[in-house]
Amino acid sequence: MATRPFEVAGSPLFVAEGIFAAEIVEECRRRGLLAGAYALRRPRGTTFLRRLTRDLAEQRKAPGVLLRRGLALLRAEPAVLRRQAGLGAQPAPASEVLRRVADLLAGHPHRH
């Protein structure tokens, strides 16, 4: 795995997002940089349809391949969420994550 420096000096917050963001939760906690860690919990069917629609529109691969890949990701999603939670990210719906980030930016501690 490649690494590169990431400077946050002078920034009140930084947001790491994506499937691998949970990988840095423990190190951020250890360094006193963690204000919150969340894993988006969305309806799996909605995620499947959004991903399939996007991939079909972008013609990333043949439709059959995209459908099989989408179904595989649909089935794997609960395990991915469990793994992210195991790494310290709290599963939450997008609206709650956005509210918590807004609270942090406003200087209010997040509410559970």
Side-chain angles (χ1 to χ4, degrees):
M1 178 185 311
T3 62
R4 63 179 176 194
F6 178 67
E7 191 64 43
V8 295
S11 298
L13 295 172
F14 74 93
V15 175
E17 66 88 29
I19 192 145
F20 298 111
E23 301 288 336
I24 66 170
V25 168
E26 188 53 41
E27 182 64 16
C28 288
R29 181 178 285 119
R30 187 184 71 72
R31 292 178 182 216
L33 299 173
L34 189 67
Y38 311 103
L40 287 181
R41 186 179 61 223
R42 293 185 169 157
R44 290 172 41 204
T46 301
T47 301
F48 168 78
L49 290 174
R50 284 181 180 166
R51 182 183 295 124
L52 183 62
T53 300
R54 178 201 65 204
D55 291 349
L56 287 170
E58 293 177 5
Q59 299 178 356
R60 293 173 173 236
K61 292 182 173 41
V65 172
L66 294 174
L67 184 59
R68 285 189 301 277
R69 176 182 169 270
L71 289 170
L73 291 170
L74 176 78
R75 288 188 295 272
E77 192 168 323
V80 170
L81 195 57
R82 279 193 305 275
R83 182 176 182 284
Q84 291 172 332
L87 290 169
Q90 181 181 2
S95 60
E96 186 174 331
V97 172
L98 290 172
R99 180 183 52 76
R100 289 180 181 189
V101 170
D103 285 350
L104 288 168
L105 286 169
H108 307 295
H110 63 275
R111 303 175 301 256
H112 290 284

